[in-house]
Amino acid sequence: MDALNKLSAAEAAARIAAGKLKSEALVAACLERIGQREKDVQAWAFLDPEAALAQARARDKEPRRTRLHGIPVGVKDVFDTADLPTEYGSPIYRGNRTSCDAACVAQVRELGGVILGKTVTTEFATRHPGKTRNPHNFKHTPGGSSQGSAAAVADWMVPLAFGTQTTSSVIRPAAYCGVVGYKPSFGLVNRAGVKALSDSLDTVGTLTRTVPDAALLVEELSGAPVTSFDAVPRMKPRIGFCRTPNWRQADRPTKEALEQAVPRLERAGAKMAEVELDGEFARLVEVQITISTYEMFRALAYERTRFPDLISETLMGRLLGGGRVPREEYEDAQSVARRCRARLLDVFRDYDALLSPSAMGEAPEGLASTGDPVFGSSWTVLHGPAVTVPVFQGPHGLPLGAQITGPFGKDGPTLLCAEWVRRALS
């Protein structure tokens, strides 16, 4: 039998439904793996093994509720949890206990899932790193800000974990750690009880080892139709190869991997063409910075004014920069974003999905930085679904991802395209 901690969520769910697997055994296997590797990977902010096992035993005693029944889930430490500390990656909130769960955490419990523990986040889900290391090479960053979730999933500690994305905080760590990162369409998963940074951009996402697992978690939470992956072998998707206005910032191995992928995808049956996002699309990285910093300055007003000495210099500099953004500049950035979203809908009349880099390259060496988020930020502004799949390897043996993006609200078809690309390139 496979090591239980290496089962995908969908495989584990099928075994639980068939009466061939107990949630307690699955959770125990995950906790055993954590015990073996956590000293090195440091993916977890808080764990209560007995509480997790107690949840699993309770699930085993009751009828199966949903596909999530008995499945362990990691929760990024910017989501409120009533039974575990919530510190938001900041010393300001050391030992903080909230009185309730974030909405999506409460939903996981309602749906029969097991909250395994809290995963490490960067400071307030920004760029000042936490303690987590890349499980493929401990000297390299796991990315940010959903670093604990990405590393825990990559290291077989948990099959599903929550992340958040305001810039590239799901896509980048997933690419660096070699897992599937899924940023759903903006607003698809409820954000109540998640520490707010940017009301226009914050999105709840997932880190998983398979595309169907990513679909499973978000579909159960959102009530979206169940995506059937049975049709993937028969698909002939229309895919646009989008270098994006930031192509020059990708390293040579990333560029070569994506360029060489185009004929491979054509041979597999895709209709491929190059897509150029010109004009105002070139402003979207700047637009993302303007919108996010303007809104972060206000969202973190309490922390910024009451505890300035407990905020990193990196974050404080960004916050003060956001305070200097004039309202007119912010409104102009929002206007550009709206126009680009409208133009993108026209682009998607001819394509099912777009293919672009997930990150500039492999995870950089060193733990003082979480890497550059440039290849996720524009897609966050555009509000549609984005999925990174681990299909390439860099020159140092670390993962490289391919990012698949789709039209707003078309998450199911985008996930199908992502799985098709993964199979074609794997």
Side-chain angles (χ1 to χ4, degrees), residues 74-146:
V75 178
K76 182 178 179 178
D77 194 30
V78 292
F79 293 69
D80 290 346
T81 44
D83 55 355
L84 289 167
T86 303
E87 294 186 349
Y88 313 118
S90 169
I92 295 171
Y93 289 95
R94 187 165 289 133
N96 176 57
R97 293 272 182 168
T98 59
S99 59
C100 60
D101 287 330
C104 56
V105 174
Q107 279 189 281
V108 168
R109 299 187 200 273
E110 179 185 31
L111 296 164
V114 172
I115 302 302
L116 189 64
K118 303 294 285 291
T119 58
V120 171
T121 178
T122 60
E123 179 187 28
F124 295 117
T126 58
R127 296 184 199 169
H128 187 71
K131 63 182 180 178
T132 307
R133 304 167 185 177
N134 192 308
H136 296 278
N137 187 322
F138 300 144
K139 294 181 180 180
H140 289 248
T141 179
S145 62
S146 306

Side-chain angles (χ1 to χ4, degrees), residues 298-356:
R298 290 152 177 81
L300 296 179
Y302 170 74
E303 294 85 357
R304 173 173 53 78
T305 58
R306 294 287 295 275
F307 304 99
D309 294 343
L310 296 180
I311 295 177
S312 70
E313 290 184 14
T314 305
L315 177 55
M316 184 59 82
R318 293 180 69 197
L319 294 177
L320 295 179
R324 293 190 291 269
V325 174
R327 179 72 188 186
E328 295 78 11
E329 183 178 333
Y330 170 75
E331 291 177 350
D332 175 65
Q334 291 283 20
S335 296
V336 172
R338 286 191 293 269
R339 289 194 294 271
C340 287
R341 288 172 201 143
R343 280 191 61 197
L344 191 64
L345 291 177
D346 289 333
V347 172
F348 278 121
R349 296 182 196 279
D350 298 319
Y351 300 96
D352 300 308
L354 301 181
L355 169 70
S356 65

